[in-house]
Amino acid sequence: MSKRIGILTSGGDCAGLNAVIRAVTLRSVNKYGWHVFGIKDGTLGLMTNPLNVIELKTKDFDGHLMRMGGTLLGSNNKGNPFDKKQDSDKIIKNFNKLGLHALIGIGGDGSMKILQKFTKKGGINFVGIPKTIDNDVINNELSIGYDTAVDVATNALDMLQPTAASHRRAMILEVMGRDAGHIALNAGIAGGADVILIPEIPYSLKSISSHIEKIRSEGRNHALIVVAESVRRENGSRVTVKFVDGQVRLGGIGTYIGDEISKITNAETRVTVLGHVQRGAQPTHRDRLIASAFGVHAVDLIAQEKFNRIVVWQKRRVTDVALDNIAGKSKTLSKCDPLINVAQALGIYVGEIN
Ligand code: F6P
């Protein structure tokens, strides 16, 4: 009998999600003759009446969708249905009503933890696909969306450099990445930054200032500084913004660094907070490629009845590992990361390493 499978995107959106939904649909329908159902807005689509679920057809993907940012299924990064028992019971009950053989969940480390809990409790066959611009899913070299985010941040540095040089300024670029410095480090190297600040390595304002003064003394009139959003003030305190809805979010470290450096060096500083353009951009070829490989592999795992697995990218190929080895854990940078050595070798200040 033809199988019915479900798919949902959970957590913050990123580039490449439509490409992975496409790959799952094409593989399921073309190879196995299955029916694919897209659950809308993460698990929220299972809480509405009627359920917010659509059948996905191959013809839905014969146009522009794989090239687009965002997710046609919608997503949700607020709340955890396991905070309220009645919500998680309702989600499981409604999922079972759909008569689905398995669920493919596309999410970051936080979403995987929630989805693992939900599928274990409901006895649901589950396969995960990692996506997050933060690239912090462990045992996985590349998450969907990360490459595009690094590209956007690199492009931003490309655009900041000429204006920095024209006005003899130190430009600070604040990038996303949650508690990991992957976007900052990679874009910083690729975009020719002079200073890269990441949450994993402490820094000193005095050292940054000396570095900028050295650049100046060598005859260059401008500098580029990349700072990851969860870098703290020099005294270790977090920099956050309280929004009108009462939520506290990361943000503001760029302004702090700009102000402090300006006070010490007299340099004119300007701050760019890159924000959600890192998420909504058109996916790079690499993100589309990984998304395609992940989608096909996830469907093949279901065909082989291999569940509670997450597909990952390791050594230039797609493979899979047990979800227990991933969910709720996260991958940050180590001081010994080879790219930290590269940055240092290029004369970039990356914090107080020794
Ligand atoms: O986890 C992805 C991410 O984009 C982080 O880099 C960032 O801190 C956060 O999500 C922003 O979330 P929101 O969309 O709720 O502002």
Side-chain angles (χ1 to χ4, degrees):
M1 205 183 88
S2 166
K3 279 184 182 140
R4 294 156 59 88
I5 66 164
I7 179 168
L8 60 78
T9 45
S10 174
D13 74 320
C14 63
L17 292 178
N18 289 319
V20 70
I21 299 165
R22 169 182 181 261
V24 165
T25 307
L26 297 188
R27 185 66 166 176
S28 301
V29 176
N30 294 342
K31 165 85 178 163
Y32 301 108
W34 298 346
H35 293 275
V36 182
F37 294 87
I39 299 163
K40 292 289 202 88
D41 305 329
T43 49
L44 287 184
L46 293 170
M47 294 190 69
T48 54
N49 186 11
L51 298 182
N52 200 358
V53 175
I54 48 166
E55 179 160 8
L56 299 169
K57 305 277 189 184
T58 53
K59 72 170 170 42
D60 297 333
F61 300 96
D62 58 7
H64 64 289
L65 263 177
M66 72 167 298
R67 305 165 217 287
M68 304 283 295
T71 160
L72 79 122
L73 294 178
S75 195
N76 170 38
N77 68 351
K78 280 196 213 78
N80 174 348
F82 279 86
D83 287 347
K84 287 195 200 133
K85 188 178 175 305
Q86 68 268 34
D87 286 353
S88 59
D89 287 349
K90 188 170 176 182
I91 289 174
I92 291 166
K93 198 170 132 226
N94 285 339
F95 182 87
N96 289 333
K97 272 192 205 157
L98 292 168
L100 301 178
H101 178 68
L103 174 69
I104 294 179
I106 307 161
D109 56 337
S111 296
M112 284 304 155
K113 197 174 167 194
I114 295 171
L115 289 170
Q116 185 188 37
K117 224 172 161 186
F118 150 59
T119 51
K120 261 194 183 161
K121 188 174 175 198
I124 295 164
N125 296 329
F126 181 72
V127 173
I129 297 182
K131 66 87 216 162
T132 165
I133 66 165
D134 307 337
N135 203 29
D136 55 358
V137 172
I138 61 161
N139 297 327
N140 174 40
E141 287 158 22
L142 292 171
S143 291
I144 298 168
Y146 167 67
D147 190 64
T148 307
V150 172
D151 217 39
V152 170
T154 305
N155 288 339
L157 288 169
D158 290 347
M159 289 184 269
L160 286 172
Q161 189 274 332
T163 173
S166 304
H167 287 269
R168 300 177 299 282
R169 285 173 172 160
M171 290 293 193
I172 294 101
L173 178 69
E174 180 180 315
V175 298
M176 284 185 168
R178 193 89 27 133
D179 293 321
H182 301 290
I183 298 177
L185 180 62
N186 284 261
I189 293 173
D194 301 293
V195 174
I196 301 174
L197 303 178
I198 58 174
E200 295 91 338
I201 301 179
Y203 63 91
S204 125
L205 288 167
K206 201 162 155 258
S207 301
I208 301 174
S209 304
S210 312
H211 192 63
I212 298 216
E213 266 152 11
K214 182 169 167 275
I215 290 170
R216 207 186 257 157
S217 71
E218 287 167 357
R220 179 143 58 87
N221 68 357
H222 65 282
L224 296 175
I225 300 175
V226 182
V227 56
E229 62 180 356
S230 73
V231 166
R232 294 170 182 238
R233 290 188 190 88
E234 197 180 32
N235 67 10
S237 61
R238 266 205 184 275
V239 188
T240 51
V241 185
K242 190 167 182 179
F243 285 70
V244 278
D245 61 2
Q247 290 236 0
V248 176
R249 301 193 179 93
L250 293 169
I253 185 66
T255 303
Y256 167 80
I257 296 288
D259 288 351
E260 296 303 313
I261 296 307
S262 177
K263 275 187 227 158
I264 305 173
T265 64
N266 246 341
E268 193 178 10
T269 58
R270 290 289 186 274
V271 180
T272 302
V273 180
L274 204 50
H276 292 79
V277 295
Q278 293 158 100
R279 296 223 309 238
Q282 186 173 39
T284 58
H285 91 277
R286 183 180 285 271
D287 269 331
R288 295 182 211 184
L289 202 104
I290 288 165
S292 303
F294 280 1
V296 169
H297 195 77
V299 173
D300 289 348
L301 284 175
I302 296 176
Q304 294 157 40
E305 299 284 309
K306 285 191 185 162
F307 300 116
N308 218 19
R309 311 284 299 170
I310 178 164
V311 302
V312 289
W313 193 258
Q314 290 177 350
K315 300 195 171 96
R316 296 178 51 235
R317 57 180 298 246
V318 60
T319 180
D320 53 274
V321 297
L323 189 57
D324 295 340
N325 293 341
I326 298 263
K329 300 170 188 160
S330 81
K331 174 186 80 178
T332 51
L333 279 163
S334 111
K335 281 183 183 177
C336 317
D337 191 284
L339 284 182
I340 298 282
N341 290 336
V342 171
Q344 284 187 301
L346 294 171
I348 302 170
Y349 174 77
V350 275
E352 303 295 300
I353 303 258
N354 304 313

